[in-house]
Amino acid sequence: MSKKVLVLGEIRKNELRQVSFEAIAAAKKIADGGEVVGVVLGSEVASLANTMIHYGADRVLVIEHRELQNYTSDGYIQAISQVLESEKPHGFILGHTSIGKDISPRIAAKLKTGLVSDAVSLELIGDEFIFTRPIYSGKAFEKKVIKDGMIFATIRPNNIDSLKQDCSRTGEVIEVQVEIKTLRTIVKEVVLKSAGGVDLSEAKVIVSGGRGVKSEEGFKILQELANVLSGAVGASRGACDAGYSDYALQIGQTGKVVTPDLYIACGISGAIQHVAGMSNSKIIVAINKDPDASIFSIADYGIVGDLFEVVPMLTEEFRKNLIGTGD
Ligand SMILES: Cc1cc2nc3c(=O)[nH]c(=O)nc-3n(C[C@H](O)[C@H](O)[C@H](O)COP(=O)(O)OP(=O)(O)OC[C@H]3O[C@@H](n4cnc5c(N)ncnc54)[C@H](O)[C@@H]3O)c2cc1C
């Protein structure tokens, strides 16, 4: 049966985040020939509506309101609830990002519907949609089926392939008015912490450093390798606790959960709490001078050696091969 599925277009620095396009691809599968409706919220966001259409949305609702200029769960929930009320979709898909994690349980509770959070894949078997999601910090996976009610899910960034951008696609863009009642939160300032310009949770390559990097200065060689690979720099909590890196870049159980194509762990021992945040990376490379470091047990490739020798060598080789600026 074809369905109508809503997708939240998440915006950061005036651009749609990649996970929004991945959500459209997931929604397309669920819609099964039905309609995928994008929603963008904010102020001066109308120009992003067509990008959602180029990635597969059929129609996009643009909600512009000065109270939505900065994200607040209160404002977003009020606006999205009104859209869900008027559109009555069969499904709603959004990224498992800070915003997705914040608003989805509250919307589910409001609508008295179930929610599959942090899905990494979905497949159609018969007429049932099966979502797969990691549990126990990525040590096992469970499959979930939504039997009735809205198909409501958040998807983990970097796991579901987006559709190819097709700038010739056209669709309807509709401005929608919503009423935002007094917000209980006022955002005074937004300070963005980024991993060298690349969003850590969406990075395809992450070069991550641990206590073995020894200083803030030591992270510079990691940044150079990340730059050559167009990746982001991450860190273990050990490195953050030691003051070598900002906590915004911490990966793990109490940090960010990432699934890049390539994760290069430098001077990280592989504590269970760190592994919880990166074990689902597609390829893991570990550089550690201790051959018995537990990170090697989950690594696809291990380099036993001093990171201060190995990392610059890798940077140089990648530079030659990828950028061609070597000899
Ligand atoms: C409740 C709780 C939550 C936690 N959450 C997180 C979390 O989200 N993320 C996280 O990362 N941790 C977390 N931790 C901390 C975790 O248990 C570890 O303490 C931490 O991950 C260790 O960081 P590390 O591997 O950088 O440091 P260490 O364990 O000190 O390892 C440093 C490694 O560097 C290697 N090394 C040293 N010098 C070099 C060199 N020159 N070249 C190559 N290798 C070298 C050493 O051999 C060693 O293996 C949490 C802990 C608790 C209790």
Side-chain angles (χ1 to χ4, degrees):
M1 186 195 92
S2 61
K3 302 177 186 71
K4 187 204 283 191
V5 184
L6 221 70
V7 172
L8 177 68
E10 208 181 296
I11 300 164
R12 178 180 281 181
K13 290 199 222 156
N14 303 321
E15 282 185 16
L16 284 160
R17 296 186 66 182
Q18 175 64 24
V19 71
S20 312
F21 309 135
E22 295 164 3
I24 293 174
K28 273 255 184 264
K29 234 178 181 178
I30 297 165
D32 194 19
E35 191 186 27
V36 172
V37 184
V39 187
V40 282
L41 299 90
S43 130
E44 295 178 28
V45 292
S47 59
L48 300 174
N50 277 320
T51 313
M52 288 196 90
I53 291 169
H54 297 161
Y55 276 93
D58 301 301
R59 182 160 59 96
V60 178
L61 310 177
V62 177
I63 306 175
E64 300 216 323
H65 196 293
R66 67 186 154 78
E67 297 285 26
L68 297 171
Q69 189 169 3
N70 286 314
Y71 171 77
T72 61
S73 42
D74 203 5
Y76 264 49
I77 286 167
Q78 289 189 46
I80 291 171
S81 298
Q82 288 168 53
V83 170
L84 289 170
E85 180 60 39
S86 61
E87 288 285 328
K88 298 195 174 32
H90 301 97
F92 182 28
I93 306 291
L94 57 165
H96 195 69
T97 57
S98 303
I99 290 181
K101 283 187 256 186
D102 187 24
I103 60 175
S104 56
R106 293 180 60 183
I107 292 174
K110 226 171 154 101
L111 298 178
K112 296 192 171 43
T113 185
L115 166 69
V116 177
S117 66
D118 202 13
V120 292
S121 72
L122 88 156
E123 54 193 326
L124 178 62
I125 296 182
D127 55 2
E128 284 184 333
F129 284 97
I130 321 261
F131 288 91
T132 303
R133 62 185 297 272
I135 51 171
Y136 305 127
S137 298
K139 283 194 214 62
F141 290 87
E142 67 172 359
K143 293 197 180 285
K144 291 261 185 193
V145 179
I146 298 174
K147 292 274 188 191
D148 62 0
M150 191 168 72
I151 300 172
F152 187 16
T154 61
I155 58 161
R156 186 182 282 198
N158 262 348
N159 280 271
I160 294 172
D161 289 337
S162 61
L163 304 172
K164 240 180 128 210
Q165 185 177 20
D166 175 1
C167 295
S168 66
R169 274 191 105 249
T170 53
E172 217 182 334
V173 177
I174 303 168
E175 269 186 43
V176 175
Q177 303 298 328
V178 292
E179 190 193 341
I180 307 280
K181 297 202 181 104
T182 316
L183 297 179
R184 285 173 291 180
T185 326
I186 297 166
V187 177
K188 294 203 161 170
E189 191 188 6
V190 178
V191 181
L192 282 178
K193 293 263 174 77
S194 80
V198 182
D199 183 346
L200 196 54
S201 55
E202 294 190 342
K204 297 279 180 211
V205 178
I206 295 177
V207 182
S208 200
R211 220 182 322 246
V213 177
K214 294 189 174 67
S215 66
E216 195 178 349
E217 183 72 17
F219 265 81
K220 284 192 179 150
I221 58 165
L222 272 53
Q223 186 65 61
E224 282 166 23
L225 178 55
N227 290 349
V228 170
L229 296 171
S230 305
V233 170
S236 71
R237 176 151 146 196
C240 298
D241 285 347
Y244 310 157
S245 174
D246 196 288
Y247 282 105
L249 307 187
Q250 183 187 315
I251 289 164
Q253 188 185 315
T254 45
K256 291 197 165 68
V257 175
V258 293
T259 34
D261 292 343
L262 174 62
Y263 188 89
I264 306 178
C266 312
I268 293 177
S269 59
I272 191 168
Q273 296 89 353
H274 184 77
V275 169
M278 46 64 78
S279 61
N280 293 125
S281 304
K282 293 183 188 91
I283 294 178
I284 298 170
V285 177
I287 305 165
N288 199 303
K289 64 179 184 184
D290 174 7
D292 297 322
S294 56
I295 191 80
F296 287 127
S297 65
I298 57 145
D300 298 285
Y301 300 94
I303 303 173
V304 179
D306 185 337
L307 72 92
F308 295 100
E309 289 171 22
V310 177
V311 172
M313 273 159 60
L314 288 177
T315 307
E316 201 43 44
E317 279 307 306
F318 281 124
R319 189 173 281 138
K320 273 189 215 161
N321 287 296
L322 296 176
I323 310 179
T325 52
D327 299 330

